[in-house]
Amino acid sequence: MAEAIYVGGLLVATPKLDDPNFRRSVILILEHDIEGGTLGVVLNRPSDISVTQVLPTWDSLVTGPPVLFQGGPVQTDSALALAAVPSGQEPLGWRRLHTGTAAVSRLGTVDLDAPPEILAGEIAQMRIFAGYAGWTAGQLEAEIGEGAWYVVDAEAGDTFHDDPGTLWRAVLRRQPGELAYVATCPDDPSMN
């Protein structure tokens, strides 16, 4: 388990975190600055809103399920897109995450104001998130200290996981030691 917060890492909600915005969530960290705070997106909250309803021109480039994901409770009326490129190239309209982590080295944000045609054929996978998760300087560190989050390494398939509803358990299950047992925690701890 990683100790420090870093771009490309995952925040995994602990069973004691019962805030409905983050309960059993897995968040990919997109930006982290000790003085400026942290920004990420929840990877495992698909919505009922299809991409076609909101951003129809991007629908053909989205990796299934073809819906908007609830990226977090901040600015839910705005959209943020993540895409993976198949090569080390940086296509127009795509900006690489500033991370040294190999698992997410081909991941970046997409300029949704750019014409989708310039990225068609340039990206391998893409998801669009409504809103994001954000913390002010020191806030996330305090929440981690209180036991609300685990900070773990991401794997290449996490961002575009085939079954987002199982991502929380899958990420925990692959962790070393006792942390893997947390994946078996029931939805309602009183049922334990």
Side-chain angles (χ1 to χ4, degrees), residues 28-143:
L28 177 67
I29 300 169
L30 303 179
E31 295 177 13
H32 177 66
D33 181 331
I34 293 170
E35 295 173 17
T38 306
L39 180 143
V41 290
V42 178
L43 298 177
N44 59 333
R45 293 273 196 283
S47 74
D48 295 329
I49 302 167
S50 73
V51 171
T52 307
Q53 289 176 267
V54 183
L55 294 162
T57 58
W58 289 98
D59 186 58
S60 65
L61 297 178
V62 172
T63 303
V67 298
L68 287 180
F69 277 67
Q70 298 166 3
V74 182
Q75 293 188 354
T76 56
D77 58 345
S78 66
L80 182 152
L82 290 176
V85 293
S87 67
Q89 300 298 320
E90 291 199 27
L92 240 101
W94 181 86
R95 194 184 91 214
R96 185 180 309 280
L97 291 184
H98 297 289
T99 178
T101 308
V104 293
S105 64
R106 294 187 176 170
L107 196 60
T109 57
V110 172
D111 178 359
L112 291 171
D113 291 328
E117 303 80 50
I118 65 170
L119 282 164
E122 299 291 329
I123 60 173
Q125 296 172 298
M126 180 174 147
R127 285 220 169 124
I128 301 176
F129 301 86
Y132 63 89
W135 294 265
T136 57
Q139 183 183 8
L140 180 56
E141 290 84 349
E143 290 181 15

Side-chain angles (χ1 to χ4, degrees), residues 4-27:
I5 301 165
Y6 60 97
V7 173
L10 296 178
L11 296 173
V12 180
T14 68
K16 68 191 286 188
L17 181 59
D18 61 359
D19 176 334
N21 291 307
F22 297 115
R23 189 172 181 286
R24 296 206 172 207
S25 64
V26 177
I27 298 175

